[in-house]
Every structure is written in structure tokens, then in C-alpha cells.
Amino acid sequence: MSTRITRLEAPPELRLWSDRCRAAGMEVGLVPTMGALHEGHRSLIRRARAECDRVVVSIFVNPLQFGPGEDVERYPRTAQGDLAMLDEEGVDAAFVPGAAAMYPSEASTTVHVDAALTSILEGAHRPRHFDGVATVVAKLLVAARPRRAYFGIKDAQQCAVVTRVAADLDTGTTIIVCPLVRDHDGLALSSRNVYLGAEERRRALAIPRGLSAAVRAFEAGERRAAALAALVRRSMEASACGVDYVAVVDPTRLSPVDAAAPGCEILVAGRIGRTRLLDVIRLGIDEAPLGAAGAQEKTSRA
Ligand code: AMP
């Protein structure tokens, strides 16, 4: 257990801590997470440490963003290991509220982002998910008033939603979108990967394999979005990986494009058993997740 990190358990404590930082002339960076921290989270924390005077990481499994029948109860919780990682990374404060501190029983305000952005893609499969995300992020931004808040492109639609929330509510926070970090075999790191058995994990690799095929096709001049998406879809289907969607989109509005251009993103949501997996590639920016020979060393394990 950490001895150095300031532990904050309720929004007023977070506000006080942050007020004090700002009063001392320091810029605060916020990294919101649901815990079960891995190298993807670590990359956000390092970026925040490099750019801000003080860093607070929130760890909160936000019940509002889980639908009925989703995995809120079994979502991995690794509090001791998480705090050890924050300590190792020189994080200044951990915000670790309980659900009652964030949502007292009388609370009746939620934040809703227009359906044009929140009813498509993830929103089509997880109704009201993004209202839950928007509400918790708005509360964190109000309490911490960070100069910058850090999010991962892996959750590309979430990035688009929180960027709108931060701007529309005049929070004064800049949303920094950080690159996706992959495991040694090319799979996008996710707290939910612990749900996958060995055979399921092999099937899940159809996602980075399909994205690699799409990246190579794009590099070879293929611009038809439908053809790029088909490469990913076919790879997933060949491994019995359920396809919720494969979409080639414009990065700001997340609207589908017919012709892919550099900067467009391929967003993927797949299912292996009960486990949902997200992935994303930025065309013309990201390398193929898997090298020509197959898996490629991308990062050391957490
Ligand atoms: P989560 O704890 O899953 O809610 O994620 C907290 C933050 O970490 C979100 O902004 C995620 O997009 C980001 N994140 C999760 N996985 C990765 C990854 N593999 N690479 C980069 N960022 C990630």
C-alpha cells in the first residue's frame, strides 16, 4: 500500500486538493480510470506527469455507464496493485470514491450528449452508456477542474463524447487523446482481457490481424471504406469472433465515410463469448498492429 499518494474519497476532498494545487500556481492533470490498471493506463499517466505539475488519477467503476446484464459486478478490481502502480509512477493523488460518494441517493442530474454522437456505434449496442460516461466525467471535471484530462483513443467514441462535454460545459479543461497501447501479441490492452481464456485470446487476435490487413491495403492505395471494413470483418468471422461493428469513420463526428483518407479511423467492436473487445486504427498514422510475420513485440506486460 502506498504511503506517499494523497488518497481522496469524495468529490469535496478532490476539489479541496485541486484548489490548493491551483492556489500554489500548479497545473493539475486528471487521468480517469476504472482501475485494474495496465500499460495503457500507465501511458496516460506518464503523459500527464510529463505535462502537468500535479497529477490525480481517479479509480471508479462507474455503475451509471453499465447497462442491465453487463459486467459491473464482475469487473476486475485490483486496488492494491493499482495504488502500487500509481506510487511507482509518481502520481500525486488517487481519487477512489465509493458509489455513494459519487451518487448520493438524492442525486437526480445526468449529462446527456446529443444522440447524433451517442446513439451510433457503441451507443447502438449499449443504450445510455454514454450518458453514464458524460455524467461521471462532468462530475470529475467540476470537482478537479484540471487543466488537462487524459483519455485513450482505444475508446474512440468516448474521446469524442468527453471532448464535447468539456467544451460544451465550458470546463476550461483540454482533453488530450493518447495512442492505443497493445500487448506483446498485438491485442489492444484492456482490463477486460483477463476474462479471456487461452483459446479465446487466440481468437481475439483476429481483430488486430484484420486491422493489420486493412492498414496494409490502405498503404497499398485501397481507399474504399467498404473494402477496408470487409478485410477486418472477414478476419473476425474466420475466427468465430462476433462482430458488433466495423466502421470506417471521420474522427471528429464519427460519421461513416465512403472513401477513406489519412486520419480516418477504423473502429471495431467484437465479442468473444461474453467479452466485448474494442480496437481502433488511425489510417495513415498507426502502424499495422501485427508485423508481416504475425505477432510483434509491442510493449512489455504490465
Ligand atoms: P478504463 O479504465 O478502461 O475506463 O480506461 C481508462 C482510460 O484508459 C480510458 O481513457 C481508456 O481509453 C484508456 N485506455 C484503456 N485501454 C487503453 C490502451 N490499451 N491504450 C491506451 N489507453 C487505454
Side-chain angles (χ1 to χ4, degrees):
M1 172 70 81
S2 157
T3 50
R4 200 191 53 78
I5 294 177
T6 303
R7 189 185 166 103
L8 309 165
E9 298 191 349
E13 291 174 31
L14 173 58
R15 181 165 51 246
L16 195 62
W17 176 85
S18 192
D19 281 350
R20 286 193 179 131
C21 293
R22 277 193 310 281
M26 293 183 285
E27 286 188 342
V28 170
L30 167 71
V31 182
T33 82
M34 297 205 299
L37 301 180
H38 52 63
E39 294 295 312
H41 298 111
R42 197 193 291 271
S43 70
L44 270 51
I45 291 167
R46 289 196 172 162
R47 175 96 180 256
R49 287 278 295 131
E51 295 180 352
C52 307
D53 302 310
R54 289 288 179 268
V55 172
V56 55
V57 175
S58 63
I59 297 179
F60 178 57
V61 181
N62 174 33
L64 236 56
Q65 70 189 68
F66 288 77
E70 291 188 352
D71 57 345
V72 67
E73 296 303 338
R74 67 174 192 135
Y75 195 85
R77 288 164 171 85
T78 56
Q80 297 290 318
D82 289 353
L83 288 174
M85 185 207 270
L86 301 190
D87 203 22
E88 209 175 285
E89 292 301 323
V91 166
D92 301 289
F95 180 53
V96 286
M102 288 298 275
Y103 304 118
S105 54
E106 67 277 16
S108 40
T109 303
T110 54
V111 176
H112 173 70
V113 177
D114 195 85
L117 197 53
T118 57
S119 69
I120 56 172
L121 302 166
E122 280 302 280
H125 293 270
R126 306 184 69 187
R128 294 211 297 283
H129 168 67
F130 286 115
D131 285 358
V133 170
T135 301
V136 79
V137 170
K139 284 172 69 72
L140 291 170
L141 297 183
V142 165
R145 291 189 48 207
R147 178 68 194 82
R148 300 180 197 82
Y150 296 81
F151 292 84
I153 186 88
K154 182 174 87 70
D155 300 281
Q157 194 173 5
Q158 173 168 278
C159 289
V161 169
V162 300
T163 299
R164 279 262 52 88
V165 169
D168 294 350
L169 300 183
D170 302 314
T171 60
T173 299
T174 302
I175 302 299
I176 309 284
V177 178
C178 302
L180 189 152
V181 178
R182 298 181 182 279
D183 212 335
H184 66 290
D185 56 4
L187 189 64
L189 281 167
S190 163
S191 304
R192 288 188 168 100
N193 290 353
V194 298
Y195 297 151
L196 298 171
E199 196 268 333
E200 291 181 319
R201 182 160 181 129
R202 271 193 294 279
R203 280 162 52 206
L205 294 179
I207 298 175
R209 202 179 303 122
L211 284 170
S212 298
V215 166
R216 288 198 200 93
F218 182 79
E219 285 168 356
E222 178 62 82
R223 291 293 180 268
R224 293 169 302 161
L228 295 170
L231 287 169
V232 184
R233 192 175 275 276
R234 274 206 295 275
S235 170
M236 292 167 72
E237 285 167 357
S239 291
C241 175
V243 182
D244 277 355
Y245 56 82
V246 177
V248 185
V249 301
D250 146 282
T252 313
R253 291 147 35 124
L254 302 184
S255 47
V257 297
D258 290 330
C264 284
E265 295 170 355
I266 306 183
L267 271 46
V268 179
R271 264 174 294 105
I272 301 274
R274 288 168 64 200
T275 306
R276 272 187 100 248
L277 299 166
L278 300 189
D279 207 329
V280 58
I281 275 290
R282 298 170 299 174
L283 291 168
I285 299 172
D286 295 327
E287 286 175 26
L290 304 184
Q296 190 181 7
E297 196 69 30
K298 282 285 171 187
T299 176
S300 57
R301 275 179 193 273

